[in-house]
Amino acid sequence: MRDEVDRALADRLDCKSGCPPRLAEAMQYAVLAPGKRLRPLLALLAAKACGGDIHQSMPAACAVEFIHAYSLVHDDLPAMDDDDLRRGQPTCHKQFDEATAILVGDALQARAFEVLATELAPANLAARACAALARAAGATMLVGGQADDLAGTAAGDQRDRLESIHHRKTAAMILVSIELGALTAGANDEQMDALHAYGERFGLVFQITDDLLDAQGDQQQVGKRVGKDANRGKLTYPTIVGVDESRRLVEQLVEEAQAALAPFGESAEPLRLLARMLVDRNR
Ligand code: GRG
């Protein structure tokens, strides 16, 4: 399924005319780098759980990965997290230059909505998908979470602040990936609710294991700089609740995520496995 996703992404980046070659090359470099493709997989597997066809859901899968890839490129810029390594290779602005990396993000964001608007049918499905993705990627969620994280301006105690940043910066894109997959498969309300409960827990498992990898992972395997959160005094689950409690929380959340999929039976087995794989990952 991952190969199919990569082919679908490449097809949708194939700018035959009009796009400056260097920009096209940088967009391909950023998107097709060896990431995990978690968000497209979530979209496709959510569709499958609802009895949908993955080809019908592929535009949604590509759109969420375009937004995700843009957010990584921009996050790595000197004005933000200032990173040299991403997905095991030089970050986009290191490989190309800063202006190109900014434009890559801009173009990928526009392309995400173009894919949804032109490839999903009927029109009200396309509109609903565009609205859901715009909200998740916008000023209250992904961008707002990033702004508060950079400025340290989230409100509340440490745990509240951590959860507020996580909810907007990470969980929103995970949840919308699942939602778009389900929408394109014509999910009913009960299916949507079950997938939402799964997605909330999946997002937390993703965040806590990401924090654990930053605290304890090996840079070569993780494919990005590690130890940076602790060095910058950022709030993470291991620093707030400790490593052991983080691991216990992860186990509990995986069980809850898997249990939330009970209404689906066998069709949701790949989603159950994906939640388990998150815990055992090393990147
Ligand atoms: C620039 C608007 C804007 C947002 C940036 C993506 C992001 C928000 C920040 C990256 C820093 C970070 C640790 C975010 C939370 C976790 C996260 C999104 C990790 C990267 O996702 P993976 O592990 O990456 O799914 P791959 O490379 O596998 O796709």
Side-chain angles (χ1 to χ4, degrees), residues 34-39 65 68 70-72 74-75 80-81 86-87 142-143 146 169-170 206-207 210 224 228-229 281 283:
K36 294 182 287 298
R37 311 288 185 260
L38 268 183
R39 292 151 195 81
E65 187 67 9
H68 171 61
Y70 122 68
S71 75
L72 297 180
H74 279 192
D75 183 65
M80 297 217 190
D81 231 20
R86 171 68 67 185
R87 294 175 159 177
L142 176 68
V143 174
Q146 175 77 348
K169 193 171 136 173
T170 312
F206 175 82
Q207 182 66 56
D210 198 69
K224 60 184 179 184
K228 64 179 181 188
D229 294 340
R281 71 196 172 112
R283 71 187 183 100

Side-chain angles (χ1 to χ4, degrees), residues 10-80:
D11 285 349
R12 287 169 178 82
L13 285 176
D14 192 8
C15 311
K16 289 203 173 55
S17 64
C19 179
R22 184 174 164 83
L23 177 60
E25 192 194 334
M27 289 167 74
Q28 284 161 0
Y29 179 84
V31 173
L32 302 177
K36 294 182 287 298
R37 311 288 185 260
L38 268 183
R39 292 151 195 81
L41 287 175
L42 282 169
L44 298 179
L45 295 180
K48 231 174 151 191
C50 301
D53 162 35
I54 68 162
H55 296 288
Q56 219 168 324
S57 303
M58 197 57 94
C62 291
V64 293
E65 187 67 9
F66 286 157
I67 296 286
H68 171 61
Y70 122 68
S71 75
L72 297 180
V73 170
H74 279 192
D75 183 65
D76 290 334
L77 287 165
M80 297 217 190

Side-chain angles (χ1 to χ4, degrees), residues 93-138:
H93 67 277
K94 285 279 165 192
Q95 183 72 12
F96 295 87
D97 55 77
E98 269 184 60
T100 301
I102 292 169
L103 295 171
V104 162
D106 297 340
L108 287 175
Q109 179 154 210
R111 184 74 184 112
F113 291 102
E114 185 183 19
V115 166
L116 292 181
T118 57
E119 296 188 42
L120 292 186
N124 66 347
L125 173 69
R128 219 176 137 184
C130 282
L133 186 59
R135 180 171 179 274

